[in-house]
Amino acid sequence: MFENHLQLGNGVFTTQEIAQILRVPYYKVSKWITQYWDGELGKCYEHQYSWSVGNTRAVGFHTLIEFYVMMQFTLAGVKTKAVLKAHKELGEHFRTNFPFAKKEVLDNISTDGLRVYFKVDGVNITLDGSKQFNLDIIKLFFKNLDFDNDMLASRFWPMGKNHKVVCDPHRKFGQPVLDGTSIQSEAIYRMYLAKEPISFIASIYELPLKSVKDAIAFHKNAA
């Protein structure tokens, strides 16, 4: 099922918000949406992953997670064509439009910086149609995700789980909040920009100092 409309629990992330959360340039996110997910993958599934929000595009939570996975492959040096090929094969195999948000996929996917591999019965198979075997791989770890009972990504920790900022589609439509609350990290950052002392912000929101500092650090480093 596609999450290509505003609905509680789906989350909503505009192009700019994705760029800020993932720390990637706006133009790259825009290309991922229009050319790859709505374009190449959308043609395969005969649906778009995004919808219009004013003058920009928005996607749901699981598309955000797929972009996060795409970013990991990009950092490892894998070409976009190989990633999209892997997405198509895994989507077909698992019968899902969001294979990169599925725990079983993320637990068994890896790369050598050129191809994408998936482990089947202990053997790594290339996801490029050739089914070649290769054991010299670099494992990609996705430790910044939580999963629900269906083993789909349910929460994303953009700074890592040792920090308090989390994206949860069931809170504030997935916008970054502080763990255990519905307080958006951006609200904390706005107070900080207004020259309010960190200790005062923590007192007003009844938050630990670490939560306030994490919110400030998150937005300071945003793209």
Side-chain angles (χ1 to χ4, degrees):
M1 187 176 77
F2 275 82
E3 300 168 357
N4 54 6
H5 60 281
L6 182 61
Q7 181 177 324
L8 289 175
N10 279 357
V12 52
F13 303 89
T14 65
T15 306
Q16 182 62 41
E17 289 165 348
I18 297 167
Q20 292 175 341
I21 291 169
L22 298 184
R23 309 291 195 266
V24 296
Y26 179 95
Y27 77 86
K28 185 172 289 188
V29 177
S30 180
K31 187 173 184 178
W32 288 348
I33 293 175
T34 58
Q35 185 172 336
Y36 301 140
W37 264 253
D38 279 352
E40 188 165 339
L41 295 176
K43 287 178 182 177
C44 291
Y45 302 125
E46 299 182 348
H47 283 85
Q48 286 191 327
Y49 281 80
S50 73
W51 69 93
S52 295
V53 175
N55 295 322
T56 187
R57 308 299 297 173
V59 301
F61 176 74
H62 289 122
T63 304
L64 169 72
I65 298 305
E66 293 215 309
F67 288 171
Y68 171 63
V69 175
M70 175 71 166
M71 183 179 75
Q72 305 307 312
F73 280 118
T74 299
L75 292 174
V78 183
K79 299 296 184 183
T80 301
K81 183 177 180 180
V83 179
L84 296 179
K85 180 65 177 177
H87 188 287
K88 293 173 186 176
E89 289 200 28
L90 290 168
E92 181 178 343
H93 179 77
F94 287 99
R95 298 182 180 180
T96 176
N97 307 315
F98 304 100
F100 290 165
K102 192 172 180 65
K103 188 174 189 301
E104 184 176 354
V105 170
L106 298 182
D107 281 346
N108 291 284
I109 205 167
S110 56
T111 182
D112 59 1
L114 179 62
R115 295 186 178 92
V116 180
Y117 299 91
F118 188 73
K119 185 176 289 186
V120 179
D121 296 328
V123 178
N124 291 292
I125 300 175
T126 59
L127 293 173
D128 60 4
S130 68
K131 300 297 186 292
Q132 297 177 30
F133 299 107
N134 191 311
L135 300 180
D136 184 19
I137 59 176
I138 303 169
K139 184 73 178 91
L140 294 177
F141 295 96
F142 299 97
K143 297 180 179 179
N144 293 355
L145 302 175
D146 290 336
F147 297 88
D148 60 20
N149 291 334
D150 294 324
M151 294 296 101
L152 280 173
S154 59
R155 299 204 301 173
F156 172 47
W157 302 79
M159 302 174 73
K161 293 183 180 180
N162 56 328
H163 295 283
K164 298 297 182 180
V165 177
V166 63
C167 294
D168 182 339
H170 294 284
R171 292 179 183 268
K172 300 295 182 179
F173 292 100
Q175 294 303 301
V177 298
L178 294 171
D179 184 32
T181 78
S182 291
I183 301 170
Q184 289 183 251
S185 56
E186 186 176 0
I188 302 296
Y189 188 57
R190 284 199 300 265
M191 290 190 71
Y192 170 77
L193 291 179
K195 308 300 182 183
E196 298 289 0
I198 292 177
S199 58
F200 174 74
I201 300 173
S203 175
I204 288 294
Y205 283 99
E206 299 182 347
L207 292 169
L209 282 174
K210 175 172 173 50
S211 295
V212 175
K213 290 178 179 178
D214 282 349
I216 293 169
F218 174 69
H219 287 280
K220 268 188 173 181
N221 295 325

